[in-house]
């Protein structure tokens, strides 16, 4: 595990953008699971504005989780990514693999899982991403696996339908077997609201197992935390 701490969310965005550019440029074709959330949005804005030379044809984008809403909905992670990155870069449409969760989530989770099995290399009978980008909620959720449904982490399938604990919104999420099968996992976590969970998870304090984010442990051991100083306050 590697921990990178930066002064601000903007500095996290810049440094992760450098990391992502390097991964895309060094891979003939990089299969990347994107995340929703405010920190990835900052990354997308920064890359769209400052990284004009990236060979985006090398990038194949998927989502680690998606809300079960239309692609035009303000809640859609796909829409956020289009608005902040995909509409501003030259990437082949066939490289973008949206989750169509707005109609029949359970059937879509199966379709998306099948697509991953077709598009990605299989390692240990599980699709392997080059990179899975994750955020972490204040409650310690990651992707769309929430503490009240932590059993989804160990589901047999590659994808599951989750339910947001407060809104009841259904979401399609990668499960732990896919996330931990990735070559690299990058956590983008910023803000003081995350500090308590980040501290417990990184220090592996007893009881931190209740947070889905604490179950992220890629078999390759390539787990990189991109933190701002607020989120890292308890470990600096
Ligand atoms: C989503 C994300 C979710 C997000 C966390 C952190 O669909 O919202 O997948 O897991 O990463 O809620 O969000 P922030 O980066 O905004 O704190």
């Amino acid at each position: 595990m590697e921990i990178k701490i930066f002064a601000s969310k903007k500095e996290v965005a810049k440094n992760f953008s450098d990391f992502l550019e390097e991964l895309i440029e060094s891979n003939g074709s990089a299969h990347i699971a994107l995340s929703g959330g405010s920190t990835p949005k900052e990354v997308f804005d920064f890359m769209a504005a400052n990284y004009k030379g990236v060979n985006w044809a090398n990038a194949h984008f998927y989502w680690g989780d998606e809300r079960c809403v239309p692609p035009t909905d303000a809640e859609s992670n796909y829409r956020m990514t289009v608005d902040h990155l995909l509409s501003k870069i030259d990437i082949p449409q066939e490289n973008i693999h949206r989750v169509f969760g707005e109609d029949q989530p359970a059937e879509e989770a199966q379709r998306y899982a099948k697509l991953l099995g077709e598009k990605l290399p299989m390692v240990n009978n599980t699709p392997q991403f080059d990179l899975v980008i994750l955020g972490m909620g204040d409650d310690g959720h990651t992707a769309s696996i929430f503490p009240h449904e932590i059993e989804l982490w160990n589901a047999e399938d590659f994808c599951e339908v989750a339910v947001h604990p407060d809104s009841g919104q259904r979401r399609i999420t990668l499960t732990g077997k896919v996330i931990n099968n990735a070559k690299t996992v990058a956590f983008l976590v910023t803000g003081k609201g995350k500090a308590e969970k980040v501290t417990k998870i990184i220090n592996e304090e007893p009881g931190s197992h209740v947070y889905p984010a604490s179950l992220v442990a890629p078999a390759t051991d390539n787990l990189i935390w991109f933190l701002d100083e607020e989120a890292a306050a308890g470990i600096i």
Side-chain angles (χ1 to χ4, degrees):
M1 171 166 67
E2 187 180 354
I3 300 169
K4 295 173 179 279
I5 301 173
F6 303 98
S8 64
K9 180 183 263 189
K10 194 168 283 300
E11 280 303 305
V12 167
K14 182 193 179 314
N15 284 275
F16 183 72
S17 296
D18 291 342
F19 173 85
L20 191 57
E21 181 192 36
E22 166 62 27
L23 182 124
I24 291 168
E25 295 299 340
S26 58
N27 271 277
S29 82
H31 296 280
I32 301 164
L34 302 174
S35 171
S38 60
T39 311
K41 188 187 294 186
E42 190 98 18
V43 170
F44 297 157
D45 283 337
F46 192 87
M47 291 200 88
N50 299 287
Y51 288 68
K52 303 300 183 190
V54 177
N55 181 6
W56 293 107
N58 283 356
H60 299 263
F61 287 143
Y62 307 74
W63 276 264
D65 65 325
E66 179 58 285
R67 292 85 180 277
C68 293
V69 295
T72 52
D73 190 297
E75 278 285 298
S76 163
N77 284 338
Y78 169 77
R79 175 179 163 182
M80 182 276 277
T81 313
V82 168
D83 290 350
H84 293 269
L85 181 64
L86 301 181
S87 60
K88 301 172 181 177
I89 62 174
D90 182 15
I91 184 168
Q93 278 308 304
E94 62 269 23
N95 288 23
I96 299 166
H97 306 283
R98 179 169 92 81
V99 183
F100 299 81
E102 58 270 32
D103 296 321
Q104 297 178 309
E107 289 77 0
E108 173 57 11
Q110 291 174 354
R111 182 202 69 86
Y112 189 53
K114 184 169 180 292
L115 174 98
L116 298 180
E118 291 165 354
K119 297 285 185 185
L120 301 183
M122 296 295 277
V123 172
N124 304 319
N125 297 316
T126 303
Q128 184 178 59
F129 282 100
D130 291 289
L131 174 66
V132 171
I133 302 170
L134 295 173
M136 185 189 76
D138 289 2
D139 61 356
H141 81 261
T142 193
S144 279
I145 297 182
F146 295 90
H148 76 295
E149 290 183 317
I150 199 164
E151 72 281 358
L152 291 181
W153 181 266
N154 292 314
E156 264 309 297
D157 291 335
F158 302 151
C159 306
E160 285 288 344
V161 178
V163 179
H164 191 282
D166 301 323
S167 66
Q169 182 189 69
R170 287 183 295 177
R171 300 183 171 190
I172 291 172
T173 184
L174 293 180
T175 56
K177 74 187 311 183
V178 176
I179 292 171
N180 280 343
N181 200 46
K183 285 185 183 171
T184 301
V185 177
F187 260 125
L188 303 186
V189 183
T190 58
K192 53 180 175 295
K194 315 294 171 81
E196 182 243 346
K197 301 288 191 305
V198 165
T199 305
K200 285 188 174 181
I201 291 169
I202 287 182
N203 291 342
E204 293 180 356
E205 291 175 8
S208 64
H209 64 283
V210 297
Y211 311 130
S214 65
L215 301 176
V216 175
T220 61
D221 199 30
N222 292 333
L223 172 59
I224 309 171
W225 289 80
F226 288 81
L227 302 168
D228 69 353
E229 289 174 355
E230 285 188 349
I235 59 170
I236 292 178

